[in-house]
Amino acid sequence: MDWECCWDRDVIAREDCPNIQAGDEDLLLSRRRRILEKCCDCPNFKRDLDRFLESGHPLAPAFSLIHTEYQLQKTQIQSLASFLDNKTLEVRFLHELGSVLQSSVDLEEVLSVALTAITAGKGFGMNRAFLLLIDREHARLNGYLAIGPRNYEEACQTWDEIAGNDMDLQTLAQSFRLNKLSSERAKFHDILEQLSVPLSDEGHVLIKAMDGKHPLLIEDAFHHPDVAPDLARLLGVDTFLLMPLHSRNRRVGMIIADNCITHKRITDEDMRSLENFTFPVAFAIERASLYDRLQVELSRVTEAGNKLREQQELIVRMEKMALVGRITSSIAHSVRNPLMIIGGFARSMLKNAADNDPKRDFIESIINEARQLEYVLDEILNYSDSLYPTRDMWDVNQLVEAAIKDTSDRLHSFGCESSYLPDGSLPPVFVDFKQLSYCLRTMIMSDIEGHNGGRIDISTYADGDQVVVRVRDTSVRLSQEALDALLVPFSTTLELGSGLGLALCKTMLEKQGIPFSAQLLPERGIEYTIVLPTRKEDQT
Amino acid sequence: MSRLLVVDDEANIRLLYAEELAEEGYEVVTAAGISEATERLQEGVFDLAVLDIKLKNESGIELLQQLVKERHEMPVILCSAFSCYKDDFSAWLADGYVVKSGDLTELKQEIARVLAKKAQKARAGL
């Protein structure tokens, strides 16, 4: 019998078999492999079998049966191999996903990985995914993030971009997080905002699916009895998959995925794969959320620790200051009395000395030096007092009036005129009245020493929730350098003597959180402005 | 001639006050502490008292409170080495407050002011 197929020949030429392809050349010399790999599927071989069957040989029917069964088994094996390959890919993917998720405690990163995995072609290849998270404080399931195209054109563009960059899952997720997270959130803002369901709404399909703990495929959503028409319209698809996220029996959230562009069917196999995927995702989300909370608590504890340390340092500093204060006070008492006696008796002696007495110059020197020492002592004591402000509510107009009264004699003695324009409707201010009184007196008196004439205009007025005191002094002409020097403690200017004065005012007021400014007037003089708080919480 | 009681624990300061204020035409009696001041007050009437605040282990503020309670018609001027008491509530009972200085001009002006005010009140029958 002449056979059509080449199965009976040990060696064949390439043209003897139509099934031999490039790369199959070794089969030309291997009869056994050729029969198994090529002949069994060859129509020529089938026809040879048919002729063998027609020949009436008793083995022919059995041979045909074995051939048919062999083909069936071979198909099944190929199918199983394909399934195995797919599963291997899936396991590798889940392993990669798990590695990425386990290595991250950043919620945004975890969510980026999760949503990228669902929508990437290398992942589950869904077109679109929405992530909803449980808001425990408000007992709601709220839309949080979404990924995917909103129309066909955008889908083509995105898929082209991804196809052009051969990125692994982690790189894709990082790229999404860096470049698209915000824009995707904004893009789906309208839908995410409406994807909000109270946890108490047990009839809602999202809550039902979450409580069911297993993925739920919704088909024909627009007519589905469990799906509210609003939800179907909002998503705009008739088929979508609900994947609840649970971690250790705690509800974490929900992923809604669909193929809104390709409308590819979602299979049971897809659902099983996605179910496996939701466990690590839910766990990673919960862990990242807990880590976020931990970070918040940690920063609170750190802040509290810092505050405690600051308070401890402050207490130590205050104890030191208190000691300095006591020492200063003691020195003041010990020094002022002898100074007073020296200066006082020197003045008595000067009064009784004859005009031509050669000792007058010496006595005057004693008086001047004693006076200078008294000034220094005053400033040191004032600085010591400024360390402990005690704030309360006070009538600023009364304080200003008292300061003007205290300084009026000296103003007159220097021929300086003054005016006061109070706003009678001002609320009380929250200040240390001793320090504010000192500052007001200092501002009024600081420039007039040694200068005759000039004018001081004082006014008070409200500015929002604050009260402004303005002292405008035209008694002296100063350079900016001299003014700057005046605001530095213990600096000296030729124009205004030496000491703390305005610098102490600045320090005192700033300690109370009160802005203080001293600005030169264009023509002549200085304008001082202080802005006083009217509420206790305004203090710094 | 107005009679002044000066209370200060420093002997030299008492001497300085006595000389300077006598020159101003006042009759000056001095005391070193509260008990001595109380004795002087029992011996005679004074038109005004000048008190130091720190009196060794005593407080001039206590004496001030005692005087306001028992001799409210007699004005008191506090004269202290500490400027901080000027804004202290307890010192507000006094009719005047002067920080100690070798230049007694301010103290003398304050004494004159307070005595004039007292005389004015007396004339007004208050």
Side-chain angles (χ1 to χ4, degrees), chain A residues 372 379 446-447 449 451 476-503 526:
Chain A
Q372 185 60 28
E379 287 173 346
S446 64
D447 299 348
E449 301 277 354
H451 296 84
V476 69
R477 190 189 297 277
L478 266 188
S479 66
Q480 186 61 50
E481 291 73 24
L483 179 61
D484 292 343
L486 271 177
L487 299 174
V488 179
F490 298 108
S491 66
T492 303
T493 66
L494 291 174
E495 291 93 335
L496 293 168
S498 65
L500 281 167
L502 289 172
I526 307 174

Side-chain angles (χ1 to χ4, degrees), chain A residues 219-230:
Chain A
E219 292 176 299
D220 196 13
F222 290 95
H223 303 99
H224 197 288
D226 289 341
V227 179
D230 286 351

Side-chain angles (χ1 to χ4, degrees), chain A residues 196-327:
Chain A
S196 178
V197 186
L199 295 177
S200 56
D201 188 355
E202 292 175 354
H204 197 284
V205 69
L206 297 182
I207 304 300
K208 265 188 186 176
M210 202 162 54
D211 291 342
K213 295 189 179 179
H214 295 289
L216 181 63
L217 181 64
I218 301 292
E219 292 176 299
D220 196 13
F222 290 95
H223 303 99
H224 197 288
D226 289 341
V227 179
D230 286 351
L231 178 62
R233 272 199 297 275
L234 185 64
L235 296 174
V237 284
D238 62 353
T239 303
F240 53 86
L241 182 61
L242 301 178
M243 289 177 284
L245 300 171
H246 283 85
S247 174
R248 294 172 299 150
N249 289 327
R250 269 163 60 89
R251 297 184 297 186
V252 173
M254 164 81 69
I255 290 174
I256 305 174
D258 61 45
N259 288 326
C260 62
I261 304 294
T262 61
H263 299 287
K264 185 185 160 201
R265 187 173 158 265
I266 300 170
T267 64
D268 290 344
E269 191 56 38
D270 291 336
M271 285 175 63
R272 274 194 290 277
S273 299
L274 283 163
E275 188 173 13
N276 290 333
F277 156 78
T278 59
F279 295 125
V281 169
F283 182 71
I285 289 174
E286 191 183 35
R287 192 183 51 183
S289 302
L290 288 172
Y291 186 77
D292 271 1
R293 277 165 51 195
L294 190 67
Q295 287 295 100
V296 171
E297 292 302 322
L298 185 65
S299 57
R300 277 187 194 155
V301 170
T302 308
E303 195 182 336
N306 288 340
K307 274 189 182 167
L308 191 62
R309 194 158 47 248
E310 281 170 17
Q311 293 290 328
Q312 284 173 336
E313 285 168 4
L314 183 65
I315 289 167
V316 171
R317 207 162 54 238
M318 284 181 74
E319 281 175 356
K320 285 180 185 169
M321 283 177 177
L323 184 63
V324 170
R326 282 198 296 275
I327 293 169

